[in-house]
Amino acid sequence: MARIAVIGAGMGAMAAAARLAVAGHRVAVYERTETYGGAVRRFERDGFSFDTGPGLLPVPAVHRDLFIKTGKEPLEDLVELVQVDPSSRHVFADGTEVSLPNASRAGVVTALDEALGGDAGQRWGDFLIRAREAWDRTRRPLLEEPLWTDWSVLADQEPYPAVPHKKLLRTRRASTLAEIGAWELRDERLAALLESHALAYGLDPRTAPASAAVLPYMEHAFGTWYVRGGIRELARAVYERCLARRVEFVFGAEVTRVLEKDGRAAGVELADGTLVDADHVVADVDPARLRALTERPLDEDGDVRADADSPRPVRCTLLLALRGPREDGTVHRTVVHAPDREAELDLLASPGGDGPRCPTVTVLRPDDPALRPDDDHESAVVSAVLSGDAGWDDEGTVRRYTDFLLEAAGRAVPGLRERLLWHEVRTPGDTEGETGARFGAVPAPSLAAGQGRFLHPANTTRVPGLYRVGGWSHPGGGLPHAGMSGALVAGLIVEGPQFKGSQ
């Protein structure tokens, strides 16, 4: 039985802790804040409740697997999963609207044909087929296995297939997500639909590799799900599973150093000077903070690391308390696309310039009595992913983006201004305070190609016995990816270097 110290109580950290405890190890989690969940938090006021992090659950199978492997009670016995249908409603810059059915290719094709005209639905359907090929080629190495020693194979290989070019009588391979939209979809609204999946993580479609096509494919293939009571209920269930497996949690315990002995990780030091011995250390922190905790550099030539020249994306969120009931037929998620696509992308890539611009905005309106004081009120969450270099310490910038988000939300919520009781603004600084992520940055999932700029640091490190887990490690950000990284780290510790992924 090994002693294992886990830094942070995010979703990836708790997933690893539960699996390691089931394997017979003694696991202690040290969390610098006073609660668990990382970015999966809840805000409550006046009888209203809001998810302040992710509001929807993709790929629930990852969490089903976690609960199957760590106890007798399956996930569905502990939380209520609801499939969101329609999956999303899109309001495009030209005023066109379309609601897309959940996990139905035929339904999506029909909806797009009716809303956009021509053969728009068929073009999107053909794209999904090619996106599935990219998914099939990258699923195991990107999600189910520790990062290959020769990770450059993933860095150099673009798994998105080439398509025939009718006029030139040859195939043409898109190298970026934007090129897929321009060459294959040939409709600005379809391109906006495609690119919104990348923008949700702060990825610029003009530089994101074509392999990012797996993002809309995953949503299409596995559906979009909601946890009744909010996604925070999922974090609660994982936390309680950890407690049931005798994982120890120490809150208000900031780790300031990873201890080393004989060239390997040997424990952690806390802010109050306490030294904790351990045989292995698992860190659910962003790379900048992890480097500060070690006595020697983790990144050297050959390591996978984020593109230092790219601004780190952040999320700005508004929590809306609304008077009046949620109208019949309201769609759970509405994406309001930016009025000026190029201006949005330019600002994401190069902050500053002419100042804030209206971004692509997501509005979540869950039909959940647990989130409102009564049926004569409604709670809604409005968010956008923006550049971390936009000047978030300036009150004027925050006000401008607040106005942009409220304006966009008005296209999703009829009579918004008249219904608004109050709103709470959550800036990247709030995210940084809760998660410890530098500047409140939002981690993106790993992607093949792009010369390795879209891969994440491996789960192992150059310090033996020190492992990475969570959104900033392989396989990247998001709820399912955090759970997958937890499975990978647990396998590496329990089964050793021969481990090839979750079973």
Side-chain angles (χ1 to χ4, degrees), residues 122-471:
Q122 186 60 51
R123 290 199 300 275
W124 183 261
D126 292 343
F127 155 73
L128 287 176
I129 293 173
R130 290 186 289 276
R132 177 178 179 174
E133 291 188 44
W135 165 256
D136 289 340
R137 293 172 183 174
T138 60
R139 176 179 59 86
R140 287 197 63 85
L142 276 175
L143 300 180
E144 298 180 357
E145 298 178 353
L147 195 62
W148 298 351
T149 302
D150 184 15
W151 60 266
S152 61
V153 175
L154 285 172
D156 298 333
Q157 177 181 339
E158 174 55 77
Y160 186 79
V163 297
H165 189 280
K166 295 180 180 179
K167 294 183 178 180
L168 299 180
L169 299 178
R170 59 178 174 81
T171 59
R172 178 165 61 178
R173 182 181 297 277
S175 61
T176 68
L177 201 65
E179 288 178 350
I180 293 176
W183 296 353
E184 300 181 32
L185 300 180
R186 303 189 303 279
D187 184 299
E188 290 186 358
R189 296 161 298 182
L190 287 180
L193 171 60
L194 169 66
E195 293 174 358
S196 65
H197 293 272
L199 291 171
Y201 294 102
L203 297 173
D204 185 341
R206 300 172 301 187
T207 57
S211 61
V214 300
L215 300 176
Y217 174 76
M218 288 175 65
E219 181 173 305
H220 162 75
F222 303 109
T224 303
W225 300 78
Y226 174 69
V227 179
R228 187 72 67 186
I231 297 295
R232 177 66 176 178
E233 287 300 295
L234 177 63
R236 175 195 56 77
V238 176
Y239 171 67
E240 291 179 352
R241 176 54 54 89
C242 286
L243 294 180
R245 301 282 78 82
R246 301 186 184 278
V247 173
E248 178 186 1
F249 283 82
V250 184
F251 295 106
E254 182 175 3
V255 173
T256 56
R257 184 163 62 103
V258 174
L259 304 177
E260 293 186 37
K261 183 179 180 180
D262 298 329
R264 62 175 288 116
V268 296
E269 180 178 356
L270 306 182
D272 64 2
T274 301
L275 302 180
V276 180
D277 293 334
D279 300 300
H280 302 275
V281 176
V282 176
D284 186 2
V285 297
D286 77 358
R289 185 179 171 212
L290 183 58
R291 283 194 293 270
L293 297 179
T294 58
E295 297 175 347
R296 50 183 162 135
L298 295 176
D299 294 325
E300 300 174 10
D301 291 341
D303 253 349
V304 177
R305 50 188 179 272
D307 184 0
D309 296 328
S310 297
R312 302 181 86 176
V314 297
R315 180 175 285 109
C316 180
T317 303
L318 301 184
L319 312 178
L320 308 184
L322 304 175
R323 61 169 63 88
R326 185 178 185 269
E327 62 270 16
D328 292 338
T330 295
V331 176
H332 189 121
R333 175 179 55 171
T334 299
V335 179
V336 182
H337 293 267
D340 188 334
R341 168 185 174 273
E342 287 297 330
E344 177 183 28
L345 299 185
D346 288 343
L347 188 62
L348 185 65
S350 302
D354 296 329
R357 297 294 184 92
C358 186
T360 295
V361 174
T362 298
V363 182
L364 299 181
R365 303 177 64 189
D367 185 10
D368 191 342
L371 304 186
R372 55 184 184 250
D374 53 53
D375 288 343
D376 290 325
H377 294 84
E378 180 187 0
S379 67
V381 177
V382 184
S383 64
V385 177
L386 304 155
S387 170
D389 295 339
W392 292 103
D393 55 349
D394 176 64
E395 292 184 4
T397 298
V398 174
R399 283 197 301 270
R400 287 287 302 278
Y401 278 116
T402 298
D403 289 341
F404 283 142
L405 265 62
L406 285 173
E407 180 182 352
R411 301 183 67 187
V413 183
L416 173 67
R417 296 285 183 174
E418 293 74 24
R419 295 185 58 194
L420 187 60
L421 285 170
W422 51 262
H423 69 271
E424 183 81 17
V425 183
R426 291 183 55 80
T427 67
D430 296 313
T431 303
E432 181 176 15
E434 291 180 352
T435 67
R438 192 179 184 189
F439 308 126
V442 176
S446 286
L447 298 172
Q451 298 179 324
R453 293 184 295 119
F454 299 91
L455 298 176
H456 286 259
N459 305 106
T460 55
T461 71
R462 295 181 182 277
V463 179
L466 175 61
Y467 300 85
R468 291 178 169 114
V469 72

Side-chain angles (χ1 to χ4, degrees), residues 24-108:
H25 299 296
R26 190 172 69 194
V27 185
V29 177
Y30 299 91
E31 167 58 45
R32 66 182 188 84
T33 69
E34 298 301 327
T35 190
Y36 55 85
V40 183
R41 301 289 182 108
R42 174 181 289 153
F43 179 88
E44 299 178 337
R45 173 181 164 188
D46 300 339
F48 294 90
S49 295
F50 309 86
D51 280 323
T52 61
L56 293 171
L57 178 65
V59 199
V62 173
H63 298 280
R64 291 191 180 107
D65 181 71
L66 171 65
F67 281 85
I68 289 172
K69 300 292 177 56
T70 59
K72 295 181 179 180
E73 292 178 295
L75 176 63
E76 281 83 352
D77 284 359
L78 302 173
V79 299
E80 181 182 356
L81 291 179
V82 181
Q83 194 167 28
V84 176
D85 199 11
S87 173
S88 59
R89 168 179 168 235
H90 290 261
V91 180
F92 298 106
D94 66 353
T96 306
E97 300 184 14
V98 62
S99 292
L100 302 178
N102 197 344
S104 170
R105 181 179 179 274
V108 168

